[in-house]
Structures are given as C-alpha cells and as structure tokens.
Amino acid sequence: MREKKIYALLLLTFVMWGSLYVMSKFALADIPPLTVLFLRHLFSAAALFFLLRRRGFQKIRREHYWCFAVVALLAYYGSIVCQLFCTQRLDSSLAALISALNPVTIPLMAALFLRERLTPRLFAGMAAAVLGVYVILGGGKGTIDPLGVLIGILGVLVWSAASVVIRKLSAVYDPVEITFVGILCAMCLSLPSSLLELRTQPCRFTPAALAAALYMGLVCTALAHTLWNSCL
C-alpha cells in the first residue's frame, strides 16, 4: 500500500514539474532567469514557512549542516538555474524531454554513492521512463541549441547528485523542513544573483509573468519538491 502511495505521489510530482516548462516560458518572456529564480524561492519559502509554523521546526544537527548546504547549492540553486537557462534557449517540450533523464541518472548516482543495487527491473524502468516521455512529447519540435542541451544535461546531473543527499536527510527530517531550509539557504545565492542581473538585463513585472512565477513557486517548487523529498 505504501509503495502504491509513493508511486501516486511521484506521478503527481512529475505532472507538476511537467507544467513547469510551460510556465517558465511565460515568466521568462518578461523577467530574466535569475530574477525568476529568486521570485520562485521567495514565494515557495513564504508558503512553506506558514506550513512549518503549524507542523513545528526540528533542530538541525550540526553534522547535517554540510548536507543542507549541498542541497541548497545543487538542488535549489544550481539545478534550477540550469533548468531556467535551458528552457530559455530551447523549446519547452525539448527541455522537458532532457529532464526525463532524471529517472536514469538518480539510480546511477544512488548506486555510486549509496551502494544501492541496480536490478534488471530498475534498468527496464529507467529505459521506459525515457522512452515514454519521448513518445508523449514527440521528441521535441523546437530548434536544437547545443548549449541549451548541455545546460539541461548539467542540470539533470546536478539534481541527481543532490537527490542522493536529500535521501540521506529525509531519513531524519520532515520533507517540508528539508525543502524550506534548502530554499532559504539558496535565497542567499539567488537574491544577489538577481540584483546583479537586474543591473544589466531588462525586466518587466507584468501580471502574466508574476502569475507564472507564483505558480512556479507554490506548485512546482514548494509542493512538488516537498512531495519528491517525501518519496526518497
């Protein structure tokens, strides 16, 4: 029963992340990438803070400081930066197709760092995940930008490495708290990045762009990442 629940939550998470690439296009039409990232962090951190006030905060152990720092740097800053720049340079369907490599790279990372066993069933699932997304999206119909593809693949690798660390933390902490602390720490990077970006890049806070950023923060970050962390 628990395994079926995890699969259902993962399916819901992937649906929300699938909508992320479309919403990113709306946000990036008027707001530059690093500022979109900061708004995404801001909206999601605010929502998670009010949720955690009701659930209660758990004191973070000193030996886990580095884990949260790695999660913030890789999962909530590095991978999202790559996703935004990838989506900016590629068709949204092609960007989503590249992200389908996550089911392949995460088990490989887990086998490398956590010594988890790779079974034939797992290999079959990894292949089916990539093939299924390819069929659904039709292989992506946008112009292929090699740099955009490389950025997208880098984001997948960074996210996969971070997921291994998140799995270690999820055995100790509430998934909501892992997401909140990771995003809060990542804001220490996204805020100065946004301020530097706004000095050189045009930006218009239009209602459509802000609505897209709000959706990305609440649904694609706060909710989706919390569900993902709870499934690891």
Side-chain angles (χ1 to χ4, degrees):
M1 181 64 70
R2 185 177 185 276
E3 186 173 306
K4 291 181 179 180
K5 180 181 178 181
I6 289 176
Y7 286 141
L9 292 177
L10 284 174
L11 178 60
L12 178 60
T13 301
F14 290 137
V15 168
M16 288 186 285
W17 277 342
S19 67
L20 169 65
Y21 296 90
V22 177
M23 288 300 172
S24 294
K25 285 292 187 182
F26 283 107
L28 292 169
D30 295 302
I31 305 174
L34 297 178
T35 304
V36 171
L37 173 62
F38 171 70
L39 291 175
R40 186 173 167 181
H41 284 162
L42 181 65
F43 293 142
S44 58
L48 291 170
F49 172 76
F50 287 109
L51 179 59
L52 271 175
R53 282 190 64 183
R54 301 188 63 178
R55 296 168 68 103
F57 291 86
Q58 180 179 346
K59 185 177 180 180
I60 298 175
R61 302 175 188 173
R62 185 179 296 274
E63 63 266 25
H64 291 150
Y65 285 177
W66 72 270
C67 294
F68 278 99
V70 168
V71 168
L73 178 62
L74 298 184
Y76 299 116
Y77 184 80
S79 69
I80 298 179
V81 167
C82 289
Q83 176 263 313
L84 289 169
F85 278 102
C86 174
T87 306
Q88 189 180 48
R89 302 184 69 93
L90 300 176
D91 180 89
S92 58
S93 63
L94 182 56
L97 179 61
I98 293 173
S99 75
L101 291 171
N102 271 313
V104 176
T105 55
I106 290 176
L108 293 177
M109 291 282 186
L112 180 63
F113 294 107
L114 300 181
R115 307 298 182 188
E116 293 188 1
R117 185 166 169 261
L118 292 174
T119 63
R121 180 181 177 185
L122 188 56
F123 276 116
M126 289 156 56
V130 176
L131 180 61
V133 175
Y134 182 86
V135 171
I136 291 171
L137 296 177
K141 297 180 174 60
T143 302
I144 297 179
D145 180 341
L147 180 58
V149 172
L150 288 175
I151 292 172
I153 293 174
L154 176 61
V156 168
L157 294 175
V158 167
W159 172 253
S160 299
S163 294
V164 174
V165 182
I166 292 172
R167 181 176 295 184
K168 175 183 176 70
L169 292 174
S170 62
V172 181
Y173 300 96
D174 184 336
V176 178
E177 185 166 356
I178 296 172
T179 308
F180 174 72
V181 174
I183 290 174
L184 199 64
C185 294
M187 285 180 69
C188 297
L189 298 172
S190 63
L191 176 57
S193 299
S194 173
L195 294 176
L196 288 173
E197 179 182 62
L198 291 175
R199 296 176 63 181
T200 58
Q201 298 291 324
C203 178
R204 295 186 303 147
F205 293 108
T206 62
L210 288 174
L214 180 63
Y215 176 90
M216 292 165 65
L218 297 182
V219 177
C220 302
T221 307
L223 181 56
H225 281 265
T226 297
L227 290 179
W228 174 262
N229 293 347
S230 68
C231 293
L232 291 177

